């Protein structure tokens, strides 16, 4: 007589217990809010550096002095950090799904990453505007007696 055996079902504790979160997606999830905050901070620094260059006290002279390299770097760093936060959130979510079989939002770190990445909807366009302002050419102020 031929008997067939069915594979045994996993123990109830094994089926319901989630696998531990690997360190890489957890670290990526923690970097997302950090990058989300640092992006606008860098863009704000570039805007502050741009603000002191506007001198309209002397008529008929170049209003803007040449842009320092730090302003360019800070402006582009704001955009790069904002985009990096979005990419890190996507990579962390995919890594968590692949390694643990659950969503990134199921952990506190992941939920913080998801919430903070939505702030980049405003932060990235702000940083792009700062980049445009950093690349604005110098102009001549036409006020006063230029004759």
């Amino acid at each position: 007589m031929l008997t067939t055996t069915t594979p045994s079902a996993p123990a109830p504790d094994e089926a319901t217990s989630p696998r531990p979160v690997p360190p890489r997606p957890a670290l990526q999830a923690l970097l997302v809010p950090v990058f989300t905050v640092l992006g606008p901070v860098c863009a704000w620094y570039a805007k502050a550096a741009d603000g002191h260059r506007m001198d309209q006290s002397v008529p008929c002279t170049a209003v803007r002095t040449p842009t320092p390299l730090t302003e360019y770097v800070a402006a582009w760093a704001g955009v790069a950090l904002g985009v990096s936060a979005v990419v890190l959130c996507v990579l962390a979510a995919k890594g968590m799904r692949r390694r643990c079989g659950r969503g990134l939002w199921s952990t506190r770190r992941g939920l913080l990453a998801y919430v903070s990445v939505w702030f980049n909807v405003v932060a990235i366009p702000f940083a792009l505007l700062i980049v445009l302002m950093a690349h604005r050419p110098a102009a001549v102020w036409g006020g006063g007696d230029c004759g």
Side-chain angles (χ1 to χ4, degrees):
M1 185 160 87
L2 190 62
T3 60
T4 59
T5 59
T6 59
S8 63
D13 292 336
E14 288 180 18
T16 58
S17 64
R19 287 182 265 175
V21 178
R24 186 175 178 127
L27 178 65
Q28 288 173 340
L30 285 178
L31 284 177
V32 170
V34 171
F35 285 0
T36 300
V37 170
L38 285 179
V41 167
C42 286
W44 173 82
Y45 173 77
K47 177 65 181 136
D50 179 52
H52 82 277
R53 293 185 297 131
M54 301 300 282
D55 182 20
Q56 297 182 355
S57 61
V58 180
C60 300
T61 59
V63 176
R64 294 180 86 235
T65 59
T67 305
L69 181 63
T70 56
E71 184 179 339
Y72 284 128
V73 170
W76 281 104
V79 174
L81 287 168
V83 171
S84 296
V86 175
V87 169
L88 273 176
C89 188
V90 169
L91 290 176
K94 284 186 174 189
M96 183 83 103
R97 176 69 65 190
R98 183 177 56 244
R99 292 184 182 129
C100 298
R102 61 181 177 167
L104 185 63
W105 60 85
S106 64
T107 64
R108 288 183 187 169
R109 295 173 181 170
L111 189 59
L112 178 65
Y114 271 131
V115 169
S116 66
V117 83
W118 281 103
F119 288 113
N120 285 311
V121 171
V122 175
I124 292 172
F126 169 71
L128 284 172
L129 286 174
I130 300 299
V131 167
L132 288 175
M133 291 175 69
H135 288 283
R136 186 176 48 180
V140 174
W141 182 53
D145 185 17
C146 294

Short mmCIF file of all heavy atoms in Angstrom, two decimals, residues 59-111:
data_model
loop_
_atom_site.label_atom_id
_atom_site.label_comp_id
_atom_site.label_asym_id
_atom_site.label_seq_id
_atom_site.Cartn_x
_atom_site.Cartn_y
_atom_site.Cartn_z
N PRO A 59 24.99 103.26 -7.50
CA PRO A 59 24.29 103.23 -8.79
C PRO A 59 25.24 102.91 -9.94
O PRO A 59 26.43 103.20 -9.89
CB PRO A 59 23.71 104.63 -8.91
CG PRO A 59 24.53 105.48 -8.02
CD PRO A 59 25.05 104.60 -6.95
N CYS A 60 24.66 102.33 -10.98
CA CYS A 60 25.35 102.05 -12.24
C CYS A 60 26.56 101.14 -12.08
O CYS A 60 27.57 101.30 -12.76
CB CYS A 60 25.77 103.35 -12.92
SG CYS A 60 24.37 104.39 -13.31
N THR A 61 26.50 100.20 -11.16
CA THR A 61 27.57 99.21 -11.02
C THR A 61 26.93 97.83 -11.02
O THR A 61 25.72 97.69 -10.90
CB THR A 61 28.35 99.40 -9.70
OG1 THR A 61 27.42 99.27 -8.61
CG2 THR A 61 29.01 100.75 -9.63
N ALA A 62 27.75 96.85 -11.18
CA ALA A 62 27.24 95.49 -11.14
C ALA A 62 26.65 95.22 -9.76
O ALA A 62 27.30 95.48 -8.76
CB ALA A 62 28.34 94.50 -11.45
N VAL A 63 25.43 94.76 -9.75
CA VAL A 63 24.73 94.56 -8.49
C VAL A 63 25.26 93.32 -7.78
O VAL A 63 25.50 93.33 -6.60
CB VAL A 63 23.21 94.43 -8.74
CG1 VAL A 63 22.49 94.12 -7.45
CG2 VAL A 63 22.69 95.69 -9.35
N ARG A 64 25.44 92.27 -8.52
CA ARG A 64 25.85 91.01 -7.90
C ARG A 64 27.34 90.80 -8.10
O ARG A 64 27.85 90.95 -9.19
CB ARG A 64 25.09 89.85 -8.52
CG ARG A 64 23.61 89.88 -8.24
CD ARG A 64 22.91 88.70 -8.87
NE ARG A 64 22.99 87.57 -7.98
CZ ARG A 64 23.48 86.39 -8.32
NH1 ARG A 64 23.96 86.20 -9.50
NH2 ARG A 64 23.50 85.41 -7.46
N THR A 65 27.99 90.44 -7.06
CA THR A 65 29.38 90.04 -7.17
C THR A 65 29.41 88.63 -7.74
O THR A 65 28.39 87.95 -7.76
CB THR A 65 30.07 90.08 -5.80
OG1 THR A 65 29.37 89.20 -4.93
CG2 THR A 65 30.07 91.49 -5.24
N PRO A 66 30.53 88.17 -8.20
CA PRO A 66 30.58 86.79 -8.71
C PRO A 66 30.14 85.79 -7.64
O PRO A 66 30.38 85.98 -6.45
CB PRO A 66 32.04 86.60 -9.08
CG PRO A 66 32.57 87.96 -9.29
CD PRO A 66 31.79 88.86 -8.37
N THR A 67 29.53 84.74 -8.09
CA THR A 67 29.02 83.72 -7.17
C THR A 67 30.16 82.90 -6.61
O THR A 67 30.96 82.35 -7.36
CB THR A 67 28.04 82.80 -7.91
OG1 THR A 67 27.04 83.58 -8.52
CG2 THR A 67 27.42 81.80 -6.97
N PRO A 68 30.28 82.79 -5.29
CA PRO A 68 31.33 81.95 -4.73
C PRO A 68 31.02 80.47 -4.94
O PRO A 68 29.85 80.07 -5.10
CB PRO A 68 31.33 82.31 -3.25
CG PRO A 68 29.99 82.89 -2.99
CD PRO A 68 29.51 83.49 -4.28
N LEU A 69 32.05 79.67 -4.95
CA LEU A 69 31.90 78.24 -5.18
C LEU A 69 31.05 77.58 -4.09
O LEU A 69 30.29 76.65 -4.38
CB LEU A 69 33.28 77.58 -5.24
CG LEU A 69 33.30 76.09 -5.51
CD1 LEU A 69 32.71 75.80 -6.89
CD2 LEU A 69 34.70 75.55 -5.39
N THR A 70 31.12 78.08 -2.87
CA THR A 70 30.35 77.47 -1.79
C THR A 70 28.85 77.61 -2.03
O THR A 70 28.08 76.73 -1.64
CB THR A 70 30.70 78.10 -0.43
OG1 THR A 70 30.50 79.50 -0.51
CG2 THR A 70 32.12 77.78 -0.04
N GLU A 71 28.44 78.69 -2.68
CA GLU A 71 27.02 78.85 -2.96
C GLU A 71 26.55 77.83 -4.00
O GLU A 71 25.48 77.25 -3.89
CB GLU A 71 26.73 80.26 -3.45
CG GLU A 71 25.25 80.52 -3.66
CD GLU A 71 24.96 81.93 -4.12
OE1 GLU A 71 25.81 82.81 -3.91
OE2 GLU A 71 23.88 82.12 -4.69
N TYR A 72 27.35 77.62 -5.03
CA TYR A 72 27.02 76.61 -6.02
C TYR A 72 26.94 75.22 -5.38
O TYR A 72 26.01 74.46 -5.64
CB TYR A 72 28.06 76.55 -7.15
CG TYR A 72 27.96 77.66 -8.14
CD1 TYR A 72 29.08 78.42 -8.46
CD2 TYR A 72 26.77 77.95 -8.80
CE1 TYR A 72 29.01 79.44 -9.39
CE2 TYR A 72 26.69 78.96 -9.72
CZ TYR A 72 27.82 79.70 -10.02
OH TYR A 72 27.74 80.70 -10.93
N VAL A 73 27.93 74.90 -4.58
CA VAL A 73 27.97 73.58 -3.95
C VAL A 73 26.78 73.39 -3.02
O VAL A 73 26.12 72.34 -3.03
CB VAL A 73 29.30 73.39 -3.19
CG1 VAL A 73 29.28 72.13 -2.34
CG2 VAL A 73 30.46 73.34 -4.17
N ALA A 74 26.45 74.41 -2.23
CA ALA A 74 25.32 74.30 -1.30
C ALA A 74 24.01 74.19 -2.07
O ALA A 74 23.12 73.42 -1.68
CB ALA A 74 25.29 75.50 -0.37
N ALA A 75 23.86 74.93 -3.17
CA ALA A 75 22.62 74.87 -3.94
C ALA A 75 22.44 73.49 -4.56
O ALA A 75 21.36 72.91 -4.49
CB ALA A 75 22.63 75.95 -5.02
N TRP A 76 23.49 72.97 -5.17
CA TRP A 76 23.38 71.65 -5.79
C TRP A 76 23.28 70.54 -4.74
O TRP A 76 22.66 69.51 -4.98
CB TRP A 76 24.55 71.40 -6.73
CG TRP A 76 24.35 72.09 -8.04
CD1 TRP A 76 24.96 73.22 -8.47
CD2 TRP A 76 23.45 71.69 -9.08
NE1 TRP A 76 24.50 73.55 -9.72
CE2 TRP A 76 23.57 72.63 -10.12
CE3 TRP A 76 22.55 70.64 -9.23
CZ2 TRP A 76 22.83 72.55 -11.29
CZ3 TRP A 76 21.82 70.56 -10.41
CH2 TRP A 76 21.96 71.50 -11.41
N ALA A 77 23.89 70.74 -3.58
CA ALA A 77 23.78 69.74 -2.51
C ALA A 77 22.35 69.63 -2.00
O ALA A 77 21.89 68.54 -1.65
CB ALA A 77 24.71 70.09 -1.36
N GLY A 78 21.62 70.75 -1.98
CA GLY A 78 20.22 70.69 -1.57
C GLY A 78 19.39 69.82 -2.49
O GLY A 78 18.58 69.01 -2.03
N VAL A 79 19.61 69.96 -3.79
CA VAL A 79 18.88 69.12 -4.76
C VAL A 79 19.33 67.66 -4.62
O VAL A 79 18.49 66.74 -4.59
CB VAL A 79 19.12 69.62 -6.20
CG1 VAL A 79 18.50 68.68 -7.21
CG2 VAL A 79 18.59 71.02 -6.37
N ALA A 80 20.63 67.44 -4.53
CA ALA A 80 21.15 66.07 -4.45
C ALA A 80 20.67 65.36 -3.19
O ALA A 80 20.31 64.17 -3.24
CB ALA A 80 22.68 66.10 -4.48
N LEU A 81 20.62 66.05 -2.08
CA LEU A 81 20.16 65.43 -0.84
C LEU A 81 18.66 65.12 -0.89
O LEU A 81 18.21 64.08 -0.38
CB LEU A 81 20.47 66.31 0.36
CG LEU A 81 21.94 66.35 0.77
CD1 LEU A 81 22.18 67.47 1.76
CD2 LEU A 81 22.36 65.02 1.36
N GLY A 82 17.88 65.99 -1.51
CA GLY A 82 16.44 65.72 -1.63
C GLY A 82 16.16 64.51 -2.50
O GLY A 82 15.35 63.65 -2.15
N VAL A 83 16.84 64.43 -3.64
CA VAL A 83 16.65 63.28 -4.53
C VAL A 83 17.20 62.02 -3.88
O VAL A 83 16.60 60.94 -4.00
CB VAL A 83 17.32 63.55 -5.90
CG1 VAL A 83 17.34 62.32 -6.76
CG2 VAL A 83 16.61 64.70 -6.61
N SER A 84 18.32 62.13 -3.17
CA SER A 84 18.89 60.96 -2.48
C SER A 84 17.95 60.43 -1.41
O SER A 84 17.88 59.21 -1.20
CB SER A 84 20.22 61.33 -1.84
OG SER A 84 21.15 61.68 -2.81
N ALA A 85 17.22 61.30 -0.74
CA ALA A 85 16.27 60.84 0.27
C ALA A 85 15.17 60.00 -0.36
O ALA A 85 14.79 58.96 0.18
CB ALA A 85 15.67 62.04 1.01
N VAL A 86 14.68 60.42 -1.52
CA VAL A 86 13.64 59.66 -2.20
C VAL A 86 14.19 58.31 -2.66
O VAL A 86 13.55 57.26 -2.48
CB VAL A 86 13.06 60.47 -3.38
CG1 VAL A 86 12.08 59.64 -4.17
CG2 VAL A 86 12.41 61.75 -2.89
N VAL A 87 15.38 58.31 -3.25
CA VAL A 87 15.99 57.06 -3.73
C VAL A 87 16.26 56.11 -2.57
O VAL A 87 15.99 54.91 -2.67
CB VAL A 87 17.28 57.38 -4.52
CG1 VAL A 87 18.06 56.12 -4.82
CG2 VAL A 87 16.94 58.11 -5.82
N LEU A 88 16.78 56.63 -1.47
CA LEU A 88 17.04 55.78 -0.30
C LEU A 88 15.76 55.17 0.26
O LEU A 88 15.76 54.02 0.69
CB LEU A 88 17.74 56.57 0.79
CG LEU A 88 19.25 56.63 0.73
CD1 LEU A 88 19.78 57.54 1.82
CD2 LEU A 88 19.84 55.26 0.87
N CYS A 89 14.69 55.93 0.25
CA CYS A 89 13.42 55.39 0.75
C CYS A 89 12.94 54.25 -0.13
O CYS A 89 12.48 53.22 0.36
CB CYS A 89 12.38 56.50 0.83
SG CYS A 89 10.86 55.99 1.64
N VAL A 90 13.05 54.41 -1.44
CA VAL A 90 12.63 53.35 -2.36
C VAL A 90 13.51 52.11 -2.19
O VAL A 90 13.02 50.98 -2.13
CB VAL A 90 12.66 53.86 -3.81
CG1 VAL A 90 12.50 52.73 -4.80
CG2 VAL A 90 11.59 54.92 -4.02
N LEU A 91 14.83 52.31 -2.09
CA LEU A 91 15.74 51.18 -1.91
C LEU A 91 15.51 50.47 -0.57
O LEU A 91 15.55 49.24 -0.50
CB LEU A 91 17.18 51.64 -2.00
CG LEU A 91 17.66 52.07 -3.38
CD1 LEU A 91 19.09 52.59 -3.31
CD2 LEU A 91 17.55 50.93 -4.37
N ALA A 92 15.26 51.24 0.47
CA ALA A 92 14.99 50.62 1.77
C ALA A 92 13.69 49.82 1.74
O ALA A 92 13.61 48.74 2.31
CB ALA A 92 14.94 51.68 2.86
N ALA A 93 12.68 50.36 1.07
CA ALA A 93 11.40 49.64 0.99
C ALA A 93 11.55 48.34 0.20
O ALA A 93 11.02 47.30 0.61
CB ALA A 93 10.35 50.53 0.34
N LYS A 94 12.29 48.40 -0.91
CA LYS A 94 12.50 47.17 -1.69
C LYS A 94 13.34 46.15 -0.92
O LYS A 94 13.05 44.96 -0.95
CB LYS A 94 13.17 47.51 -3.02
CG LYS A 94 12.25 48.12 -4.01
CD LYS A 94 12.93 48.31 -5.34
CE LYS A 94 11.93 48.78 -6.37
NZ LYS A 94 12.51 48.77 -7.71
N GLY A 95 14.38 46.62 -0.24
CA GLY A 95 15.21 45.71 0.54
C GLY A 95 14.47 45.07 1.69
O GLY A 95 14.64 43.89 1.97
N MET A 96 13.63 45.84 2.33
CA MET A 96 12.84 45.30 3.44
C MET A 96 11.83 44.28 2.94
O MET A 96 11.64 43.23 3.56
CB MET A 96 12.12 46.44 4.17
CG MET A 96 11.36 45.97 5.36
SD MET A 96 12.42 45.82 6.74
CE MET A 96 11.96 47.29 7.58
N ARG A 97 11.21 44.58 1.82
CA ARG A 97 10.22 43.64 1.26
C ARG A 97 10.91 42.34 0.84
O ARG A 97 10.39 41.25 1.06
CB ARG A 97 9.53 44.30 0.07
CG ARG A 97 8.56 43.42 -0.66
CD ARG A 97 7.34 43.08 0.10
NE ARG A 97 6.54 44.25 0.35
CZ ARG A 97 5.50 44.25 1.17
NH1 ARG A 97 5.14 43.16 1.78
NH2 ARG A 97 4.82 45.34 1.37
N ARG A 98 12.10 42.45 0.24
CA ARG A 98 12.81 41.27 -0.24
C ARG A 98 13.35 40.43 0.91
O ARG A 98 13.24 39.22 0.91
CB ARG A 98 13.93 41.70 -1.18
CG ARG A 98 14.69 40.57 -1.81
CD ARG A 98 15.75 41.02 -2.79
NE ARG A 98 16.70 41.95 -2.19
CZ ARG A 98 16.84 43.22 -2.57
NH1 ARG A 98 16.09 43.71 -3.54
NH2 ARG A 98 17.72 44.00 -2.00
N ARG A 99 13.92 41.07 1.92
CA ARG A 99 14.59 40.32 2.99
C ARG A 99 13.66 39.88 4.11
O ARG A 99 13.86 38.83 4.71
CB ARG A 99 15.71 41.16 3.58
CG ARG A 99 16.84 41.35 2.61
CD ARG A 99 17.98 42.11 3.25
NE ARG A 99 19.03 42.33 2.27
CZ ARG A 99 19.57 43.50 2.03
NH1 ARG A 99 19.19 44.57 2.71
NH2 ARG A 99 20.53 43.62 1.14
N CYS A 100 12.67 40.70 4.42
CA CYS A 100 11.81 40.40 5.58
C CYS A 100 10.41 39.97 5.18
O CYS A 100 9.69 39.42 5.99
CB CYS A 100 11.69 41.62 6.49
SG CYS A 100 13.23 42.13 7.18
N GLY A 101 10.01 40.29 3.98
CA GLY A 101 8.67 39.94 3.56
C GLY A 101 7.60 40.86 4.13
O GLY A 101 6.43 40.49 4.18
N ARG A 102 7.97 42.03 4.57
CA ARG A 102 6.99 42.98 5.08
C ARG A 102 7.37 44.38 4.60
O ARG A 102 8.47 44.63 4.16
CB ARG A 102 6.90 42.93 6.59
CG ARG A 102 8.17 43.27 7.31
CD ARG A 102 7.98 43.16 8.80
NE ARG A 102 9.23 43.42 9.48
CZ ARG A 102 9.33 43.63 10.75
NH1 ARG A 102 8.26 43.63 11.50
NH2 ARG A 102 10.50 43.85 11.31
N GLY A 103 6.42 45.27 4.72
CA GLY A 103 6.62 46.63 4.23
C GLY A 103 7.48 47.46 5.15
O GLY A 103 7.59 47.20 6.35
N LEU A 104 8.09 48.48 4.59
CA LEU A 104 8.94 49.38 5.36
C LEU A 104 8.12 50.14 6.40
O LEU A 104 8.61 50.45 7.48
CB LEU A 104 9.66 50.35 4.43
CG LEU A 104 10.67 51.29 5.04
CD1 LEU A 104 11.83 50.51 5.63
CD2 LEU A 104 11.18 52.26 4.00
N TRP A 105 6.88 50.42 6.09
CA TRP A 105 6.01 51.18 7.01
C TRP A 105 5.66 50.41 8.27
O TRP A 105 5.10 50.96 9.19
CB TRP A 105 4.73 51.60 6.29
CG TRP A 105 3.96 50.43 5.81
CD1 TRP A 105 3.06 49.68 6.50
CD2 TRP A 105 4.06 49.83 4.53
NE1 TRP A 105 2.58 48.65 5.73
CE2 TRP A 105 3.18 48.72 4.49
CE3 TRP A 105 4.81 50.10 3.39
CZ2 TRP A 105 3.04 47.91 3.39
CZ3 TRP A 105 4.64 49.28 2.29
CH2 TRP A 105 3.77 48.21 2.29
N SER A 106 5.99 49.12 8.32
CA SER A 106 5.64 48.32 9.49
C SER A 106 6.60 48.55 10.67
O SER A 106 6.34 48.06 11.76
CB SER A 106 5.61 46.83 9.13
OG SER A 106 6.90 46.40 8.74
N THR A 107 7.68 49.27 10.44
CA THR A 107 8.60 49.61 11.53
C THR A 107 8.52 51.12 11.80
O THR A 107 8.07 51.88 10.95
CB THR A 107 10.04 49.24 11.16
OG1 THR A 107 10.46 50.03 10.04
CG2 THR A 107 10.18 47.77 10.82
N ARG A 108 8.96 51.51 12.96
CA ARG A 108 8.93 52.94 13.29
C ARG A 108 9.88 53.73 12.39
O ARG A 108 9.57 54.82 11.95
CB ARG A 108 9.32 53.15 14.74
CG ARG A 108 8.26 52.72 15.69
CD ARG A 108 8.67 53.02 17.11
NE ARG A 108 7.70 52.43 18.02
CZ ARG A 108 7.88 52.34 19.30
NH1 ARG A 108 9.00 52.77 19.85
NH2 ARG A 108 6.96 51.80 20.06
N ARG A 109 11.06 53.16 12.16
CA ARG A 109 12.03 53.83 11.29
C ARG A 109 11.47 53.99 9.88
O ARG A 109 11.65 55.02 9.24
CB ARG A 109 13.33 53.05 11.23
CG ARG A 109 14.05 52.97 12.53
CD ARG A 109 15.23 52.04 12.41
NE ARG A 109 15.92 51.92 13.67
CZ ARG A 109 16.87 51.04 13.90
NH1 ARG A 109 17.23 50.20 12.96
NH2 ARG A 109 17.46 51.01 15.07
N GLY A 110 10.85 52.95 9.40
CA GLY A 110 10.29 52.99 8.06
C GLY A 110 9.14 53.97 7.94
O GLY A 110 9.01 54.68 6.94
N LEU A 111 8.30 54.03 8.96
CA LEU A 111 7.19 54.99 8.95
C LEU A 111 7.72 56.42 8.98
O LEU A 111 7.22 57.29 8.25
CB LEU A 111 6.27 54.73 10.14
CG LEU A 111 4.97 55.50 10.17
CD1 LEU A 111 4.14 55.18 8.93
CD2 LEU A 111 4.19 55.17 11.42
#
